[in-house]
Every structure is written in structure tokens, then in C-alpha cells.
């Protein structure tokens, strides 16, 4: 009897987690909360936290919470740049996102594939085929492709029990290019706004082309691995 009830317990746990995500999404849609949750305001809070004893550790823990609550990757990388600057921000953002991905992987593994697949109406099976067949490269591809929410990949990989090494290494490799490129791009944006010189704006547009071209090339390369 306990074995029959346990899947429903997992489903209830997943529903509770998704309810929290829904509340966060509703708060973000509210104009007042949206201002408070904007990257600029969060970055200011992050800089204040950074001054605390063990400040970097608290900031990394905040990254984990942000990932668990479904904050987009672009916002997470932007926060790293705004808080730490371009180069340290890359390392902090990457470390925080990977740590958060590990935690949400654990949530997915705890809730199980059956519960998650019920809520996704069978879509988890589509992810299952690629993740188990290609492993590492499938994780990398899912991290790079647009339109695939970061948190969905985390939960799905955990629920499908993707091999730990493939998941962590694939997450690092998949996030590294976008983290570096977006951080450098944000640096160029700051430079262009601060100096307002033609050279700075030209460098900014060059950065846009570089980021877009590099991500397009990487996606084509990874699709060839399928």
C-alpha cells in the first residue's frame, strides 16, 4: 500500500514546488514586485550582501535560490556582471548556476519521472530519448538551445536519472560560452553608455555580432553531434 501511495506523495511534492514557482511568477508580473526583482535592484542587494562576512558564500547561496525559483539564465549572468564586474562575475555566475542546477536536479530526482511526466503530459519522454542516448552532448545542447527553460532541463534530467558526470559536465560546458559572451557583451554595453564615443558604440555592435554568431555556430555544431 505504501508503494502505491508514494508516487502520489511525489506528485504532491512537485505540485507544491510548482505552486511556489507560480507565486514567484505572479509576483514578478506585479509592477511593484517587478521593480524589486529587477536585476539592477537585486544587484544592489547583492553588493551589500557581498560586504558581509563570508559575503561570496551568501551570494552563491542566493544564486542557488534564484535557480530553484526559476530565474532566467540571462538575468543570472547579468547579476554576476553587475555585482562583481565582468571577469569575476563570469566565475560567480557560472558557479552559482551550476550549484543551483545540482539542487534542482535533486528535486527532479526526488519527485521522479512518473510525477513530472504527468504534469508535462508526456513531453518528458521526448527528452528521455535524447538524454539517455547522447548523454553529455544532449545536456550541452539543451543548455545552448533557446526556448528550453533552464529549470525544466534541471528537473527533467534529475527525474530521468541522467548520469551525474554527464549532467554536471554538460551543464558547465553548455553554460560556459553564453556566460563568457554575455558577460563581455554587458561590459561593452557599460563602456558604450559611460563614454558615448563612436568607437565604444562600434565595439558594442561588434560584440552583438560576435555573440550572435558564436551562439549560432555552437548550436549548429552541437546539432551535428545528435
Amino acid at each position: 500500500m505504501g508503494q502505491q501511495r508514494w508516487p502520489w506523495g511525489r506528485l504532491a511534492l512537485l505540485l507544491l514546488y510548482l505552486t511556489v514557482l507560480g507565486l514567484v511568477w505572479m509576483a514578478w508580473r506585479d509592477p511593484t514586485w517587478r521593480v524589486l526583482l529587477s536585476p539592477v535592484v537585486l544587484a544592489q542587494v547583492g553588493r551589500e550582501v557581498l560586504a558581509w562576512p563570508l559575503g561570496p558564500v551568501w551570494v552563491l547561496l542566493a544564486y542557488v535560490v534564484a535557480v530553484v525559483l526559476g530565474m532566467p539564465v540571462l538575468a543570472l549572468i547579468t547579476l554576476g556582471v553587475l555585482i562583481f564586474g565582468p571577469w569575476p562575475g563570469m566565475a560567480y555566475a557560472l558557479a552559482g548556476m551550476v550549484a543551483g542546477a545540482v539542487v534542482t536536479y535533486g528535486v527532479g530526482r526526488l519527485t521522479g519521472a512518473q510525477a513530472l511526466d504527468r504534469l508535462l503530459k508526456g513531453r518528458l519522454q521526448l527528452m528521455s530519448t535524447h538524454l539517455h542516448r547522447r548523454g553529455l552532448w544532449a545536456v550541452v545542447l539543451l543548455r545552448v538551445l533557446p526556448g528550453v527553460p533552464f529549470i525544466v532541463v534541471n528537473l527533467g534530467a534529475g527525474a530521468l536519472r541522467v548520469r551525474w558526470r554527464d549532467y554536471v559536465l554538460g551543464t558547465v560546458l553548455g553554460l560556459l560560452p553564453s556566460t563568457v559572451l554575455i558577460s563581455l557583451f554587458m561590459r561593452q554595453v557599460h563602456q558604450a553608455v559611460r563614454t558615448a564615443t563612436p568607437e565604444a558604440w562600434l565595439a558594442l555592435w561588434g560584440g552583438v555580432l560576435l555573440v550572435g554568431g558564436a551562439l549560432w555556430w555552437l548550436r549548429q555544431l552541437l546539432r551535428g553531434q545528435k
Side-chain angles (χ1 to χ4, degrees), residues 159-176:
L160 295 170
R161 297 181 179 271
V162 174
R163 191 164 56 172
W164 175 257
R165 184 189 66 183
D166 290 344
Y167 176 74
V168 175
L169 183 58
T171 297
V172 173
L173 293 177
L175 291 175
L176 183 60

Side-chain angles (χ1 to χ4, degrees), residues 38-141:
S38 67
V40 174
V41 174
L42 291 177
Q44 179 61 39
V45 174
R47 285 189 287 268
E48 294 175 1
V49 172
L50 191 61
W52 296 357
L54 300 176
V57 176
W58 288 110
V59 172
L60 286 176
L61 288 176
Y63 259 101
V64 172
V65 173
V67 172
V68 171
L69 294 180
M71 182 172 286
V73 168
L74 178 60
L76 294 169
I77 298 173
T78 301
L79 282 174
V81 176
L82 292 176
I83 296 173
F84 302 102
W87 296 105
M90 294 180 196
Y92 275 101
L94 184 62
M97 289 187 294
V98 172
V102 169
V103 173
T104 43
Y105 173 94
V107 173
R109 185 153 184 160
L110 180 62
T111 56
Q114 183 179 1
L116 188 60
D117 196 49
R118 287 180 182 176
L119 293 179
L120 295 179
K121 299 180 179 179
R123 294 188 181 92
L124 191 62
Q125 289 300 321
L126 298 176
M127 188 185 298
S128 174
T129 301
H130 295 291
L131 283 173
H132 285 114
R133 182 186 303 169
R134 300 302 301 174
L136 172 64
W137 289 113
V139 175
V140 175
L141 180 61

Side-chain angles (χ1 to χ4, degrees), residues 141 144-146 212-224:
L141 180 61
V144 173
L145 286 176
L215 291 177
W216 177 85
W217 175 81
L218 183 58
R219 286 165 189 157
Q220 295 301 114
L221 178 64
L222 290 173
R223 279 173 176 160

